[in-house]
């Protein structure tokens, strides 16, 4: 039985064969609401079903694509994941981290992790992009296998965050908190998040970020606030509204990523 790292190497070999691109430079994982932004990144060289690569499963969530696109942006080869495997799908931590590990094995030196999330700050209206400056992992697990002690002090690259704010000076930053899901958080849980220093809540990203750091990649995290967190407005949370808010902000996201990625 292969290790998660061997499985990623196998997937990277298959990726090169199916896309015709020998090596990729930067990976992007596109979360809820970010998919339409991909078209602004550059010319699509190839697009394949993610389930056609070893170790990947078909998407299980509405609004999350199941494609992998190779995009040429200037001199840079981008590996764009249109969708991701979530921890709540029950496939295990290795499946969640398989995408970023495959990207690392394919040559990527950096990864941009995006997500749609709930925001705790009232000034963050739906459609607001927020840089992730740190995270709190409430899944109760890690994507690292064995006694490999990885430093996460500056997990979310200060260099890349500064670059984003140079391009778009009004970009705010926040601490992202991952719950296991798939249920949304309760108002009491959101009050707990505020008490422990969280600003954004979602069901992805932290386990991928840890795996990316272990693999030696530079990590940029960007959350798209798609709704106010539970209890902030008194309104119930709704997955369709999350998707709709994301679509409405897709143009701005595409412009932001289009400006940032060539400089990574």
């Amino acid at each position: 039985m292969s290790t998660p790292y061997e499985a990623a190497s196998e997937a990277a070999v298959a990726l090169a064969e199916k896309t015709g691109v020998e090596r990729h430079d930067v990976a992007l994982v596109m979360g809820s609401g970010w998919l339409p932004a991909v078209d602004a990144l550059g010319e699509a060289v190839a697009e394949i079903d993610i389930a056609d690569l070893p170790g990947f499963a078909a998407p299980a969530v509405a609004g999350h694509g199941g494609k992998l696109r190779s995009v040429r942006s200037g001199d840079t080869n981008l590996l764009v994941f249109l969708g991701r495997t979530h921890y709540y799908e029950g496939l295990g931590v290795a499946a969640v981290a398989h995408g970023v590990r495959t990207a690392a094995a394919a040559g990527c030196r950096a990864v941009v992790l995006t997500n749609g999330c709930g925001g705790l700050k009232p000034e963050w209206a739906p459609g607001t992009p927020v840089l992730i400056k740190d995270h709190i992992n409430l899944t109760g697990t890690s994507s690292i296998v064995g006694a490999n002690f990885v430093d996460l002090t500056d997990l979310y690259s200060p260099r890349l965050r500064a670059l984003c704010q140079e391009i778009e000076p009004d970009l705010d930053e926040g601490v992202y908190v991952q719950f296991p899901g798939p249920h949304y958080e309760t108002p009491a849980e959101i009050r707990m998040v505020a008490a422990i220093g969280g600003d954004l809540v979602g069901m992805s990203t932290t386990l991928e970020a840890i795996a990316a750091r272990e693999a030696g990649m530079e990590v940029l995290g960007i959350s798209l606030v798609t709704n106010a967190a539970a209890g902030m407005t008194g309104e119930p949370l709704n997955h369709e509204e999350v998707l709709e808010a994301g679509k409405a902000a897709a143009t701005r996201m595409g412009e932001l990523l289009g400006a940032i990625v060539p400089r990574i």
Side-chain angles (χ1 to χ4, degrees):
M1 188 173 177
S2 64
T3 68
Y5 311 100
E6 292 167 340
S9 294
E10 292 168 14
V13 170
L15 172 71
E17 290 173 353
K18 291 181 181 295
T19 61
V21 179
E22 187 176 336
R23 183 181 180 88
H24 286 85
D25 304 301
V26 177
L28 298 96
V29 180
M30 310 304 283
S32 304
W34 288 81
L35 304 190
V38 177
D39 294 332
L41 292 175
E43 178 192 356
V45 176
E47 184 170 293
I48 61 175
D49 287 327
I50 205 163
D52 286 346
L53 294 181
F56 286 95
V61 186
H64 295 269
K67 303 285 185 180
L68 196 53
R69 187 181 295 181
S70 180
V71 174
R72 186 73 175 169
S73 176
D75 296 328
T76 305
N77 290 322
L78 308 179
L79 182 61
V80 184
F81 292 84
L82 303 176
R84 54 162 42 101
T85 297
H86 290 79
Y87 185 51
Y88 56 69
E89 293 174 42
L91 300 176
V93 181
V96 174
H98 187 54
V100 293
R101 287 194 173 119
T102 296
C108 292
R109 65 179 184 272
V111 61
V112 181
L113 299 172
T114 74
N115 60 59
C117 71
L120 271 71
K121 292 190 177 181
E123 62 266 31
W124 292 343
T128 302
V130 180
L131 297 172
I132 301 174
K133 66 179 179 181
D134 204 348
H135 80 223
I136 298 171
N137 174 13
L138 295 183
T139 66
T141 188
S142 172
S143 45
I144 296 174
V145 179
N148 184 11
F149 303 105
V150 177
D151 176 41
L152 303 181
T153 305
D154 59 350
L155 172 55
Y156 296 93
S157 170
R159 180 184 80 87
L160 294 182
R161 284 169 22 225
L163 181 60
C164 290
Q165 289 173 324
E166 184 182 313
I167 293 166
E168 194 160 331
D170 64 344
L171 266 179
D172 211 345
E173 295 188 330
V175 175
Y176 179 88
V177 180
Q178 180 178 351
F179 281 83
H183 54 272
Y184 288 111
E185 305 76 31
T186 66
E189 287 170 338
I190 294 302
R191 291 195 296 273
M192 176 190 75
V193 166
I196 63 175
D199 305 299
L200 306 154
V201 289
M203 305 172 194
S204 68
T205 304
T206 72
L207 297 173
E208 293 159 300
I210 292 167
R213 164 49 65 88
E214 181 192 28
M217 284 194 282
E218 197 170 12
V219 179
L220 173 63
I222 312 177
S223 288
L224 177 63
V225 176
T226 53
N227 56 276
M232 302 294 291
T233 65
E235 297 297 316
L237 299 180
N238 179 296
H239 185 61
E240 286 70 32
E241 289 177 7
V242 169
L243 297 178
E244 200 55 45
K247 287 177 186 174
T251 301
R252 183 182 177 194
M253 297 305 94
E255 291 171 355
L256 176 64
L257 289 176
I260 291 167
V261 169
R263 298 176 65 180
I264 293 177

